[in-house]
Amino acid sequence: MPQRAENDLIGRKGGARDDRRTPASSGRLIVFVIVATLISHRFWALQGAERRTQTVQFAKNVAIIAGFLFAFVTGGGRLSLDYWRRRVE
């Protein structure tokens, strides 16, 4: 494998580990938000307007989880700090 291609594949200094920071962080945040959502927004145990409010908050947290899941699956990409730091090194 040519040297340039090998550097692009495994990165410099930090190796392939640098590319895993965004998915690892977003994976941890997914777990945190799931736990926090299930503890804080128990809409199924409420009635009336309070239930509606908690349902909206629950749905908001599900959307946040979807965003973290997107970052987990796609990685950081060109706009991530991992990418820019890797370019500078």
Side-chain angles (χ1 to χ4, degrees), residues 14-33:
R17 192 173 43 175
D18 286 344
D19 295 335
R20 291 188 225 142
R21 288 184 183 172
T22 300
S25 298
S26 49
R28 289 183 190 110
L29 286 168
I30 288 170
V31 171
F32 171 77
V33 174

Side-chain angles (χ1 to χ4, degrees), residues 9-66:
L9 180 63
I10 62 173
R12 297 180 216 184
K13 270 190 180 175
R17 192 173 43 175
D18 286 344
D19 295 335
R20 291 188 225 142
R21 288 184 183 172
T22 300
S25 298
S26 49
R28 289 183 190 110
L29 286 168
I30 288 170
V31 171
F32 171 77
V33 174
I34 288 173
V35 171
T37 300
L38 293 176
I39 291 171
S40 301
H41 303 299
R42 299 171 50 118
F43 68 90
W44 55 88
L46 301 172
Q47 296 295 323
E50 195 173 348
R51 179 182 180 131
R52 195 169 327 139
T53 301
Q54 290 303 318
T55 302
V56 169
Q57 296 302 316
F58 186 88
K60 172 202 52 130
N61 284 12
V62 169
I64 291 170
I65 292 167

